mmCIF file with all atom_site columns, all heavy atoms in Angstrom:
data_model
loop_
_atom_site.group_PDB
_atom_site.id
_atom_site.type_symbol
_atom_site.label_atom_id
_atom_site.label_alt_id
_atom_site.label_comp_id
_atom_site.label_asym_id
_atom_site.label_entity_id
_atom_site.label_seq_id
_atom_site.pdbx_PDB_ins_code
_atom_site.Cartn_x
_atom_site.Cartn_y
_atom_site.Cartn_z
_atom_site.occupancy
_atom_site.B_iso_or_equiv
_atom_site.pdbx_formal_charge
_atom_site.auth_seq_id
_atom_site.auth_comp_id
_atom_site.auth_asym_id
_atom_site.auth_atom_id
_atom_site.pdbx_PDB_model_num
ATOM 1   N N   . PRO A 1 214 ? -9.925  18.575 -6.214 1.00 97.00 ? 474 PRO A N   1
ATOM 2   C CA  . PRO A 1 214 ? -8.939  17.695 -5.571 1.00 97.00 ? 474 PRO A CA  1
ATOM 3   C C   . PRO A 1 214 ? -8.374  18.308 -4.286 1.00 97.00 ? 474 PRO A C   1
ATOM 4   O O   . PRO A 1 214 ? -8.151  17.613 -3.282 1.00 97.00 ? 474 PRO A O   1
ATOM 5   C CB  . PRO A 1 214 ? -7.862  17.511 -6.628 1.00 97.00 ? 474 PRO A CB  1
ATOM 6   C CG  . PRO A 1 214 ? -8.590  17.689 -7.920 1.00 97.00 ? 474 PRO A CG  1
ATOM 7   C CD  . PRO A 1 214 ? -9.590  18.783 -7.638 1.00 97.00 ? 474 PRO A CD  1
ATOM 8   N N   . VAL A 1 215 ? -8.116  19.624 -4.290 1.00 97.00 ? 475 VAL A N   1
ATOM 9   C CA  . VAL A 1 215 ? -7.617  20.310 -3.115 1.00 97.00 ? 475 VAL A CA  1
ATOM 10  C C   . VAL A 1 215 ? -8.636  20.294 -2.007 1.00 97.00 ? 475 VAL A C   1
ATOM 11  O O   . VAL A 1 215 ? -8.332  20.018 -0.827 1.00 97.00 ? 475 VAL A O   1
ATOM 12  C CB  . VAL A 1 215 ? -7.220  21.770 -3.452 1.00 97.00 ? 475 VAL A CB  1
ATOM 13  C CG1 . VAL A 1 215 ? -6.782  22.510 -2.170 1.00 97.00 ? 475 VAL A CG1 1
ATOM 14  C CG2 . VAL A 1 215 ? -6.110  21.783 -4.492 1.00 97.00 ? 475 VAL A CG2 1
ATOM 15  N N   . LYS A 1 216 ? -9.915  20.507 -2.372 1.00 97.00 ? 476 LYS A N   1
ATOM 16  C CA  . LYS A 1 216 ? -11.002 20.467 -1.374 1.00 97.00 ? 476 LYS A CA  1
ATOM 17  C C   . LYS A 1 216 ? -11.145 19.070 -0.769 1.00 97.00 ? 476 LYS A C   1
ATOM 18  O O   . LYS A 1 216 ? -11.421 18.928 0.409  1.00 97.00 ? 476 LYS A O   1
ATOM 19  C CB  . LYS A 1 216 ? -12.301 20.908 -2.016 1.00 97.00 ? 476 LYS A CB  1
ATOM 20  C CG  . LYS A 1 216 ? -12.357 22.398 -2.317 1.00 97.00 ? 476 LYS A CG  1
ATOM 21  C CD  . LYS A 1 216 ? -13.737 22.809 -2.841 1.00 97.00 ? 476 LYS A CD  1
ATOM 22  C CE  . LYS A 1 216 ? -13.848 24.316 -3.018 1.00 97.00 ? 476 LYS A CE  1
ATOM 23  N NZ  . LYS A 1 216 ? -15.176 24.751 -3.477 1.00 97.00 ? 476 LYS A NZ  1
ATOM 24  N N   . ARG A 1 217 ? -10.983 18.058 -1.638 1.00 96.00 ? 477 ARG A N   1
ATOM 25  C CA  . ARG A 1 217 ? -11.072 16.670 -1.141 1.00 96.00 ? 477 ARG A CA  1
ATOM 26  C C   . ARG A 1 217 ? -9.968  16.354 -0.169 1.00 96.00 ? 477 ARG A C   1
ATOM 27  O O   . ARG A 1 217 ? -10.180 15.712 0.884  1.00 96.00 ? 477 ARG A O   1
ATOM 28  C CB  . ARG A 1 217 ? -11.095 15.700 -2.283 1.00 96.00 ? 477 ARG A CB  1
ATOM 29  C CG  . ARG A 1 217 ? -12.436 15.602 -3.007 1.00 96.00 ? 477 ARG A CG  1
ATOM 30  C CD  . ARG A 1 217 ? -12.395 14.750 -4.232 1.00 96.00 ? 477 ARG A CD  1
ATOM 31  N NE  . ARG A 1 217 ? -12.240 13.330 -3.882 1.00 96.00 ? 477 ARG A NE  1
ATOM 32  C CZ  . ARG A 1 217 ? -13.265 12.548 -3.540 1.00 96.00 ? 477 ARG A CZ  1
ATOM 33  N NH1 . ARG A 1 217 ? -14.513 13.001 -3.523 1.00 96.00 ? 477 ARG A NH1 1
ATOM 34  N NH2 . ARG A 1 217 ? -13.052 11.276 -3.289 1.00 96.00 ? 477 ARG A NH2 1
ATOM 35  N N   . PHE A 1 218 ? -8.761  16.821 -0.479 1.00 97.00 ? 478 PHE A N   1
ATOM 36  C CA  . PHE A 1 218 ? -7.649  16.604 0.452  1.00 97.00 ? 478 PHE A CA  1
ATOM 37  C C   . PHE A 1 218 ? -7.959  17.286 1.800  1.00 97.00 ? 478 PHE A C   1
ATOM 38  O O   . PHE A 1 218 ? -7.783  16.680 2.851  1.00 97.00 ? 478 PHE A O   1
ATOM 39  C CB  . PHE A 1 218 ? -6.339  17.167 -0.110 1.00 97.00 ? 478 PHE A CB  1
ATOM 40  C CG  . PHE A 1 218 ? -5.213  17.083 0.880  1.00 97.00 ? 478 PHE A CG  1
ATOM 41  C CD1 . PHE A 1 218 ? -4.481  15.910 1.053  1.00 97.00 ? 478 PHE A CD1 1
ATOM 42  C CD2 . PHE A 1 218 ? -4.868  18.185 1.666  1.00 97.00 ? 478 PHE A CD2 1
ATOM 43  C CE1 . PHE A 1 218 ? -3.456  15.829 1.981  1.00 97.00 ? 478 PHE A CE1 1
ATOM 44  C CE2 . PHE A 1 218 ? -3.866  18.111 2.607  1.00 97.00 ? 478 PHE A CE2 1
ATOM 45  C CZ  . PHE A 1 218 ? -3.123  16.923 2.761  1.00 97.00 ? 478 PHE A CZ  1
ATOM 46  N N   . PHE A 1 219 ? -8.446  18.503 1.759  1.00 97.00 ? 479 PHE A N   1
ATOM 47  C CA  . PHE A 1 219 ? -8.766  19.257 2.961  1.00 97.00 ? 479 PHE A CA  1
ATOM 48  C C   . PHE A 1 219 ? -9.838  18.531 3.733  1.00 97.00 ? 479 PHE A C   1
ATOM 49  O O   . PHE A 1 219 ? -9.786  18.387 4.990  1.00 97.00 ? 479 PHE A O   1
ATOM 50  C CB  . PHE A 1 219 ? -9.239  20.644 2.634  1.00 97.00 ? 479 PHE A CB  1
ATOM 51  C CG  . PHE A 1 219 ? -9.567  21.496 3.808  1.00 97.00 ? 479 PHE A CG  1
ATOM 52  C CD1 . PHE A 1 219 ? -8.561  22.191 4.486  1.00 97.00 ? 479 PHE A CD1 1
ATOM 53  C CD2 . PHE A 1 219 ? -10.874 21.581 4.303  1.00 97.00 ? 479 PHE A CD2 1
ATOM 54  C CE1 . PHE A 1 219 ? -8.874  22.983 5.615  1.00 97.00 ? 479 PHE A CE1 1
ATOM 55  C CE2 . PHE A 1 219 ? -11.188 22.316 5.415  1.00 97.00 ? 479 PHE A CE2 1
ATOM 56  C CZ  . PHE A 1 219 ? -10.194 23.015 6.084  1.00 97.00 ? 479 PHE A CZ  1
ATOM 57  N N   . LYS A 1 220 ? -10.852 17.994 3.022  1.00 96.00 ? 480 LYS A N   1
ATOM 58  C CA  . LYS A 1 220 ? -11.935 17.277 3.671  1.00 96.00 ? 480 LYS A CA  1
ATOM 59  C C   . LYS A 1 220 ? -11.424 16.054 4.408  1.00 96.00 ? 480 LYS A C   1
ATOM 60  O O   . LYS A 1 220 ? -11.762 15.811 5.566  1.00 96.00 ? 480 LYS A O   1
ATOM 61  C CB  . LYS A 1 220 ? -12.972 16.871 2.610  1.00 96.00 ? 480 LYS A CB  1
ATOM 62  C CG  . LYS A 1 220 ? -14.113 16.010 3.155  1.00 96.00 ? 480 LYS A CG  1
ATOM 63  C CD  . LYS A 1 220 ? -15.048 15.597 2.002  1.00 96.00 ? 480 LYS A CD  1
ATOM 64  C CE  . LYS A 1 220 ? -16.125 14.661 2.510  1.00 96.00 ? 480 LYS A CE  1
ATOM 65  N NZ  . LYS A 1 220 ? -17.028 14.215 1.399  1.00 96.00 ? 480 LYS A NZ  1
ATOM 66  N N   . PHE A 1 221 ? -10.624 15.230 3.743  1.00 96.00 ? 481 PHE A N   1
ATOM 67  C CA  . PHE A 1 221 ? -10.130 14.000 4.366  1.00 96.00 ? 481 PHE A CA  1
ATOM 68  C C   . PHE A 1 221 ? -9.118  14.265 5.459  1.00 96.00 ? 481 PHE A C   1
ATOM 69  O O   . PHE A 1 221 ? -9.172  13.637 6.509  1.00 96.00 ? 481 PHE A O   1
ATOM 70  C CB  . PHE A 1 221 ? -9.514  13.076 3.300  1.00 96.00 ? 481 PHE A CB  1
ATOM 71  C CG  . PHE A 1 221 ? -10.451 12.587 2.245  1.00 96.00 ? 481 PHE A CG  1
ATOM 72  C CD1 . PHE A 1 221 ? -10.106 12.584 0.916  1.00 96.00 ? 481 PHE A CD1 1
ATOM 73  C CD2 . PHE A 1 221 ? -11.737 12.142 2.587  1.00 96.00 ? 481 PHE A CD2 1
ATOM 74  C CE1 . PHE A 1 221 ? -10.962 12.129 -0.065 1.00 96.00 ? 481 PHE A CE1 1
ATOM 75  C CE2 . PHE A 1 221 ? -12.617 11.705 1.621  1.00 96.00 ? 481 PHE A CE2 1
ATOM 76  C CZ  . PHE A 1 221 ? -12.246 11.720 0.288  1.00 96.00 ? 481 PHE A CZ  1
ATOM 77  N N   . PHE A 1 222 ? -8.134  15.114 5.203  1.00 97.00 ? 482 PHE A N   1
ATOM 78  C CA  . PHE A 1 222 ? -7.022  15.297 6.080  1.00 97.00 ? 482 PHE A CA  1
ATOM 79  C C   . PHE A 1 222 ? -7.310  16.216 7.248  1.00 97.00 ? 482 PHE A C   1
ATOM 80  O O   . PHE A 1 222 ? -6.837  15.972 8.372  1.00 97.00 ? 482 PHE A O   1
ATOM 81  C CB  . PHE A 1 222 ? -5.809  15.811 5.299  1.00 97.00 ? 482 PHE A CB  1
ATOM 82  C CG  . PHE A 1 222 ? -4.507  15.708 6.074  1.00 97.00 ? 482 PHE A CG  1
ATOM 83  C CD1 . PHE A 1 222 ? -4.000  14.469 6.447  1.00 97.00 ? 482 PHE A CD1 1
ATOM 84  C CD2 . PHE A 1 222 ? -3.765  16.843 6.417  1.00 97.00 ? 482 PHE A CD2 1
ATOM 85  C CE1 . PHE A 1 222 ? -2.794  14.351 7.135  1.00 97.00 ? 482 PHE A CE1 1
ATOM 86  C CE2 . PHE A 1 222 ? -2.599  16.740 7.134  1.00 97.00 ? 482 PHE A CE2 1
ATOM 87  C CZ  . PHE A 1 222 ? -2.097  15.500 7.477  1.00 97.00 ? 482 PHE A CZ  1
ATOM 88  N N   . ILE A 1 223 ? -8.109  17.262 7.013  1.00 97.00 ? 483 ILE A N   1
ATOM 89  C CA  . ILE A 1 223 ? -8.367  18.254 8.071  1.00 97.00 ? 483 ILE A CA  1
ATOM 90  C C   . ILE A 1 223 ? -9.764  18.057 8.685  1.00 97.00 ? 483 ILE A C   1
ATOM 91  O O   . ILE A 1 223 ? -9.922  17.746 9.867  1.00 97.00 ? 483 ILE A O   1
ATOM 92  C CB  . ILE A 1 223 ? -8.241  19.697 7.544  1.00 97.00 ? 483 ILE A CB  1
ATOM 93  C CG1 . ILE A 1 223 ? -6.855  19.917 6.935  1.00 97.00 ? 483 ILE A CG1 1
ATOM 94  C CG2 . ILE A 1 223 ? -8.505  20.699 8.658  1.00 97.00 ? 483 ILE A CG2 1
ATOM 95  C CD1 . ILE A 1 223 ? -5.698  19.731 7.895  1.00 97.00 ? 483 ILE A CD1 1
ATOM 96  N N   . LYS A 1 224 ? -10.794 18.197 7.844  1.00 96.00 ? 484 LYS A N   1
ATOM 97  C CA  . LYS A 1 224 ? -12.168 18.149 8.345  1.00 96.00 ? 484 LYS A CA  1
ATOM 98  C C   . LYS A 1 224 ? -12.493 16.810 9.010  1.00 96.00 ? 484 LYS A C   1
ATOM 99  O O   . LYS A 1 224 ? -13.132 16.763 10.070 1.00 96.00 ? 484 LYS A O   1
ATOM 100 C CB  . LYS A 1 224 ? -13.148 18.463 7.224  1.00 96.00 ? 484 LYS A CB  1
ATOM 101 C CG  . LYS A 1 224 ? -14.557 18.628 7.698  1.00 96.00 ? 484 LYS A CG  1
ATOM 102 C CD  . LYS A 1 224 ? -15.472 19.047 6.528  1.00 96.00 ? 484 LYS A CD  1
ATOM 103 C CE  . LYS A 1 224 ? -16.922 19.203 7.030  1.00 96.00 ? 484 LYS A CE  1
ATOM 104 N NZ  . LYS A 1 224 ? -17.820 19.596 5.888  1.00 96.00 ? 484 LYS A NZ  1
ATOM 105 N N   . LYS A 1 225 ? -12.090 15.700 8.371  1.00 95.00 ? 485 LYS A N   1
ATOM 106 C CA  . LYS A 1 225 ? -12.355 14.373 8.906  1.00 95.00 ? 485 LYS A CA  1
ATOM 107 C C   . LYS A 1 225 ? -11.197 13.808 9.702  1.00 95.00 ? 485 LYS A C   1
ATOM 108 O O   . LYS A 1 225 ? -11.143 12.621 9.999  1.00 95.00 ? 485 LYS A O   1
ATOM 109 C CB  . LYS A 1 225 ? -12.772 13.441 7.786  1.00 95.00 ? 485 LYS A CB  1
ATOM 110 C CG  . LYS A 1 225 ? -14.105 13.838 7.147  1.00 95.00 ? 485 LYS A CG  1
ATOM 111 C CD  . LYS A 1 225 ? -14.730 12.730 6.328  1.00 95.00 ? 485 LYS A CD  1
ATOM 112 C CE  . LYS A 1 225 ? -16.125 13.117 5.866  1.00 95.00 ? 485 LYS A CE  1
ATOM 113 N NZ  . LYS A 1 225 ? -16.815 12.005 5.192  1.00 95.00 ? 485 LYS A NZ  1
ATOM 114 N N   . LYS A 1 226 ? -10.242 14.695 10.013 1.00 96.00 ? 486 LYS A N   1
ATOM 115 C CA  . LYS A 1 226 ? -9.144  14.402 10.962 1.00 96.00 ? 486 LYS A CA  1
ATOM 116 C C   . LYS A 1 226 ? -8.225  13.261 10.503 1.00 96.00 ? 486 LYS A C   1
ATOM 117 O O   . LYS A 1 226 ? -7.708  12.510 11.297 1.00 96.00 ? 486 LYS A O   1
ATOM 118 C CB  . LYS A 1 226 ? -9.715  14.077 12.327 1.00 96.00 ? 486 LYS A CB  1
ATOM 119 C CG  . LYS A 1 226 ? -10.561 15.214 12.931 1.00 96.00 ? 486 LYS A CG  1
ATOM 120 C CD  . LYS A 1 226 ? -11.074 14.894 14.286 1.00 96.00 ? 486 LYS A CD  1
ATOM 121 C CE  . LYS A 1 226 ? -11.921 16.044 14.820 1.00 96.00 ? 486 LYS A CE  1
ATOM 122 N NZ  . LYS A 1 226 ? -12.453 15.732 16.193 1.00 96.00 ? 486 LYS A NZ  1
ATOM 123 N N   . GLY A 1 227 ? -7.984  13.192 9.186  1.00 96.00 ? 487 GLY A N   1
ATOM 124 C CA  . GLY A 1 227 ? -7.053  12.205 8.701  1.00 96.00 ? 487 GLY A CA  1
ATOM 125 C C   . GLY A 1 227 ? -5.662  12.359 9.284  1.00 96.00 ? 487 GLY A C   1
ATOM 126 O O   . GLY A 1 227 ? -4.887  11.413 9.398  1.00 96.00 ? 487 GLY A O   1
ATOM 127 N N   . PHE A 1 228 ? -5.333  13.587 9.699  1.00 97.00 ? 488 PHE A N   1
ATOM 128 C CA  . PHE A 1 228 ? -3.996  13.852 10.282 1.00 97.00 ? 488 PHE A CA  1
ATOM 129 C C   . PHE A 1 228 ? -3.765  13.030 11.551 1.00 97.00 ? 488 PHE A C   1
ATOM 130 O O   . PHE A 1 228 ? -2.629  12.752 11.897 1.00 97.00 ? 488 PHE A O   1
ATOM 131 C CB  . PHE A 1 228 ? -3.845  15.348 10.594 1.00 97.00 ? 488 PHE A CB  1
ATOM 132 C CG  . PHE A 1 228 ? -4.808  15.903 11.617 1.00 97.00 ? 488 PHE A CG  1
ATOM 133 C CD1 . PHE A 1 228 ? -4.530  15.825 12.983 1.00 97.00 ? 488 PHE A CD1 1
ATOM 134 C CD2 . PHE A 1 228 ? -6.009  16.459 11.206 1.00 97.00 ? 488 PHE A CD2 1
ATOM 135 C CE1 . PHE A 1 228 ? -5.413  16.336 13.937 1.00 97.00 ? 488 PHE A CE1 1
ATOM 136 C CE2 . PHE A 1 228 ? -6.914  16.952 12.170 1.00 97.00 ? 488 PHE A CE2 1
ATOM 137 C CZ  . PHE A 1 228 ? -6.593  16.899 13.517 1.00 97.00 ? 488 PHE A CZ  1
ATOM 138 N N   . ARG A 1 229 ? -4.855  12.579 12.181 1.00 96.00 ? 489 ARG A N   1
ATOM 139 C CA  . ARG A 1 229 ? -4.699  11.793 13.404 1.00 96.00 ? 489 ARG A CA  1
ATOM 140 C C   . ARG A 1 229 ? -4.212  10.346 13.109 1.00 96.00 ? 489 ARG A C   1
ATOM 141 O O   . ARG A 1 229 ? -3.828  9.642  14.013 1.00 96.00 ? 489 ARG A O   1
ATOM 142 C CB  . ARG A 1 229 ? -6.025  11.755 14.192 1.00 96.00 ? 489 ARG A CB  1
ATOM 143 C CG  . ARG A 1 229 ? -6.440  13.124 14.660 1.00 96.00 ? 489 ARG A CG  1
ATOM 144 C CD  . ARG A 1 229 ? -7.625  13.099 15.600 1.00 96.00 ? 489 ARG A CD  1
ATOM 145 N NE  . ARG A 1 229 ? -7.304  12.463 16.858 1.00 96.00 ? 489 ARG A NE  1
ATOM 146 C CZ  . ARG A 1 229 ? -8.150  12.396 17.879 1.00 96.00 ? 489 ARG A CZ  1
ATOM 147 N NH1 . ARG A 1 229 ? -9.354  12.956 17.805 1.00 96.00 ? 489 ARG A NH1 1
ATOM 148 N NH2 . ARG A 1 229 ? -7.825  11.783 19.022 1.00 96.00 ? 489 ARG A NH2 1
#
Side-chain angles (χ1 to χ4, degrees):
V475 176
K476 288 185 175 182
R477 283 175 70 85
F478 174 82
F479 182 85
K480 175 183 177 181
F481 295 137
F482 194 63
I483 304 299
K484 188 176 180 180
K485 295 196 172 185
K486 302 181 180 179
F488 63 87
R489 297 188 67 174

